[in-house]
Amino acid sequence: MSHFEESGIGEECGVFGCVAAGEWPTQLEVAQVLTLGLVALQHRGQESAGIVTSNGACPPIYTAHKGMGLVSTAFPPEALLKLRYGNLGICHTRYSTTGISELQNCQPFVVDTLHGKIAVAHNGELVNAHALRKKVMRHGVGLSTSSDSELITQLLALTPPMEELDAPDWVARIKNLMSETPTSYSLLVMFKDVIYAVRDPYGNRPLCIGRLVPISKLHTAEEEDTEGWVVSSESCSFQSIGAKYYREVLPGEIVQISKHGIKSLSVVPRPEGDLPAFCIFEYVYFARPDSIFEGQMVYTVRQRCGRQLAIEAPTDADVVSTVPESATPAALGYAQQSGLPYIEVLCKNRYVGRTFIQPNTRLRQLGVAKKFGALTDNFAGKRVVLIDDSIVRGNTISPIIKLLKEAGATEVHIRVASPPIKFPCYMGINIPTKEELIANKPEFKDIAGYIGTVQYLTVEGLLSAKDKMISSSNKSSKRVGHCTACLTGKYPVELEW
């Protein structure tokens, strides 16, 4: 469990899909590909997971399995056996931002429509969900869960006014959904023998496409070697299944994925003048460091944030270190820029998590020592710069400073590789209430006295580090733009209540 989870910030969710290329029934083990894809996205949600596969026939046979907990727990071998005849499928791993954590809220959702079953997996949170729930219910549709994803599924099931009786127009249906809600969603919609991959016009949540190739040709594969297509919240999932990164789904784009390949069907524009609003916290914390967004690796961006932090917030010290382990790239960047040596000062116990024994008095007194051991020989008698990726409530970093000082550090200077979090998120991140965030508390003005010396990366510094390597083609087409609402209070769209 990360200190972000302890602080109450939760990852969103992860979606993944696979379509076998060539003749069906396929020899590709689609269910195995889906499971491995989900495992690679496990950092985006640990509450529940679900897979729906289809044989792609007419009518198709859908097979589903859902379970609570980690992917390894939710999908025992017997569950994969019943999914093994799928030629295509979608799956989802969940962290609840809306809706309580129980199996009925587990995705993907499958519903009957006038033209047959559809399955939907969703990452994000609808900013106008309350109004949309009322609209769906006025159509006489009952909702059995509190999830935004079921709401999206039901909206897609509604027949658009111009649709002919026997010809479902899924592009029109998806566009109709997009006209009803501006953000936030990355969607996978499975119908018969195709998957539609969709990003909202603001591109708030990530989504990218990969090409499955033979393992022996992973670095030399030609177009004709394609064994299938995959779509994922993050590209980090591609390496573990033998897929090559193909491209991102653009903001507002509807992509059709079938056994014949991928086809861009439409790009729904934003209101004139609005920039994209990709979540900046994907770069700061949520994404795995080996994922690629906007043509650049997340690890490299975090390292550049550390370099920028060293420029903005230098200090007299002897060594640079990190709170393991998401802040490590930033700490290395800070060390490179400042010329100070990078060392490890904390050893993390990876097996202390949510299920840790209920603390008695002795365990409460031990505090962070349950999670971290001090590598005393590395820093005794030295001044330490400790890099963190963010401070949320401030209730984790203070005991770490105490631990390091008691173990022999003469000084501990905190440097944070992102700006202070001041505002709640309404687009898929579970951030504590405004009152709980330390940046909004009275002691924040004297935070140096509260937890030791501390300085944050500025918003401008974060954006410049992130934008440094974005391709000139992106800049020339004015696609660069990010949601910084949790840092600045400037939301990309007007919120509806």
Side-chain angles (χ1 to χ4, degrees):
M1 180 173 68
S2 70
H3 66 278
F4 258 66
E5 288 170 315
E6 287 182 337
S7 302
I9 282 196
E11 296 91 338
E12 324 93 23
C13 300
V15 297
F16 189 89
C18 175
V19 180
E23 295 300 316
W24 290 352
T26 181
Q27 299 303 303
L28 183 70
E29 295 181 342
V30 170
Q32 290 284 358
V33 171
L34 292 168
T35 306
L36 288 172
L38 272 192
V39 169
L41 297 176
Q42 188 74 88
H43 59 286
R44 299 186 71 86
Q46 300 88 39
E47 291 186 3
S48 63
I51 292 178
V52 177
T53 60
S54 169
N55 65 352
C58 190
I61 298 172
Y62 280 30
T63 308
H65 181 81
K66 301 178 183 181
M68 299 301 292
L70 301 178
V71 174
S72 56
T73 304
F75 297 105
E78 59 271 20
L80 292 180
L81 278 176
K82 72 176 184 179
L83 298 166
R84 68 186 183 277
Y85 297 116
N87 293 310
L88 69 162
I90 63 174
C91 53
H92 184 273
T93 184
R94 183 171 188 265
Y95 180 99
S96 59
T97 53
T98 62
I100 57 176
S101 177
E102 55 185 33
L103 194 59
Q104 70 170 11
N105 281 321
C106 180
Q107 299 183 50
F109 286 113
V110 180
V111 298
D112 278 309
T113 75
L114 188 63
H115 307 287
K117 282 184 167 62
I118 61 167
V120 177
H122 162 233
N123 167 215
E125 186 174 352
L126 304 184
V127 293
N128 59 337
H130 184 69
L132 286 176
R133 291 181 76 84
K134 285 185 175 180
K135 182 166 186 173
V136 167
M137 288 176 178
R138 284 194 201 101
H139 278 84
V141 176
L143 295 170
S144 59
T145 76
S146 53
S147 166
D148 283 1
S149 308
E150 187 199 15
L151 180 58
I152 287 172
T153 308
Q154 294 293 357
L155 283 165
L156 288 170
L158 296 176
T159 304
M162 304 302 291
E163 186 177 275
E164 295 183 14
L165 188 63
D166 296 319
D169 185 340
W170 286 103
V171 174
R173 288 180 180 226
I174 294 167
K175 283 185 173 181
N176 186 54
L177 167 71
M178 296 169 97
S179 69
E180 294 278 3
T181 181
T183 191
S184 158
Y185 45 90
S186 284
L187 293 177
L188 299 182
V189 181
M190 184 166 68
F191 177 72
K192 290 187 177 177
D193 58 351
V194 300
I195 292 173
Y196 298 96
V198 185
R199 263 180 104 187
D200 75 59
Y202 288 86
N204 187 252
R205 301 263 72 87
L207 197 62
C208 60
I209 299 167
R211 187 165 62 94
L212 276 170
V213 296
I215 303 302
S216 60
K217 297 183 177 181
L218 196 56
H219 302 293
T220 59
E222 303 293 334
E223 197 72 33
E224 60 268 19
D225 295 317
T226 302
E227 295 183 329
W229 294 92
V230 288
V231 58
S232 177
S233 290
E234 290 185 43
S235 61
C236 63
S237 61
F238 296 161
Q239 296 180 57
S240 60
I241 58 170
K244 292 172 69 74
Y245 179 87
Y246 189 71
R247 70 171 178 89
E248 286 188 319
V249 177
L250 300 177
E253 188 176 21
I254 304 169
V255 178
Q256 178 183 282
I257 307 172
S258 71
K259 63 181 178 182
H260 306 296
I262 69 166
K263 183 179 181 182
S264 181
L265 301 179
S266 185
V267 178
V268 176
R270 294 176 298 278
E272 190 174 350
D274 282 7
L275 288 172
F278 180 54
C279 174
I280 199 69
F281 249 78
E282 292 285 354
Y283 283 115
V284 171
Y285 174 78
F286 292 120
R288 221 171 77 172
D290 54 335
S291 288
I292 297 170
F293 298 137
E294 301 172 310
Q296 55 188 342
M297 189 165 281
V298 170
Y299 184 97
T300 306
V301 174
R302 290 176 184 169
Q303 200 167 31
R304 289 202 302 267
C305 285
R307 284 184 171 275
Q308 183 64 29
L309 184 60
I311 294 169
E312 293 183 1
T315 188
D316 291 328
D318 301 307
V319 295
V320 175
S321 193
T322 182
V323 179
E325 54 209 358
S326 56
T328 300
L332 288 167
Y334 192 102
Q336 291 162 0
Q337 185 66 37
S338 65
L340 296 170
Y342 171 83
I343 61 159
E344 293 184 354
V345 298
L346 294 168
C347 178
K348 186 177 181 180
N349 179 359
R350 300 171 190 274
Y351 301 98
V352 177
R354 297 175 190 271
T355 58
F356 192 79
I357 186 171
Q358 291 297 311
N360 56 27
T361 303
R362 181 176 181 79
L363 292 177
R364 274 195 297 271
Q365 289 170 344
L366 284 169
V368 295
K370 299 193 301 290
K371 275 195 69 179
F372 296 108
L375 300 169
T376 311
D377 288 355
N378 285 356
F379 64 87
K382 295 178 180 177
R383 300 167 296 172
V384 178
V385 180
L386 192 68
I387 309 298
D388 205 353
D389 43 32
S390 189
I391 296 176
V392 185
R393 286 193 175 102
N395 56 2
T396 303
I397 197 72
S398 184
I400 287 176
I401 294 171
K402 185 172 181 284
L403 176 70
L404 294 178
K405 285 189 173 180
E406 288 176 350
T410 57
E411 297 175 11
V412 179
H413 304 277
I414 303 299
R415 295 295 180 266
V416 186
S418 66
I421 303 171
K422 296 181 178 180
F423 302 92
C425 175
Y426 302 104
M427 286 163 286
I429 310 290
N430 185 26
I431 289 180
T433 62
K434 195 171 180 179
E435 293 72 29
E436 291 177 279
L437 297 167
I438 192 172
N440 297 319
K441 291 182 177 180
E443 57 260 38
F444 182 71
K445 293 178 182 176
D446 187 32
I447 196 169
Y450 181 62
I451 62 169
T453 66
V454 59
Q455 284 184 262
Y456 289 77
L457 185 64
T458 62
V459 174
E460 295 75 21
L462 172 60
L463 292 175
S464 68
K466 183 272 309 167
D467 283 342
K468 194 169 185 180
M469 295 298 289
I470 289 183
S471 68
S472 58
S473 61
N474 277 357
K475 289 180 180 177
S476 63
S477 61
K478 297 183 179 179
R479 288 185 52 238
V480 179
H482 295 82
C483 180
T484 59
C486 60
L487 311 175
T488 63
K490 297 176 182 177
Y491 296 91
V493 296
E494 188 175 342
L495 301 173
E496 297 182 22
W497 306 106

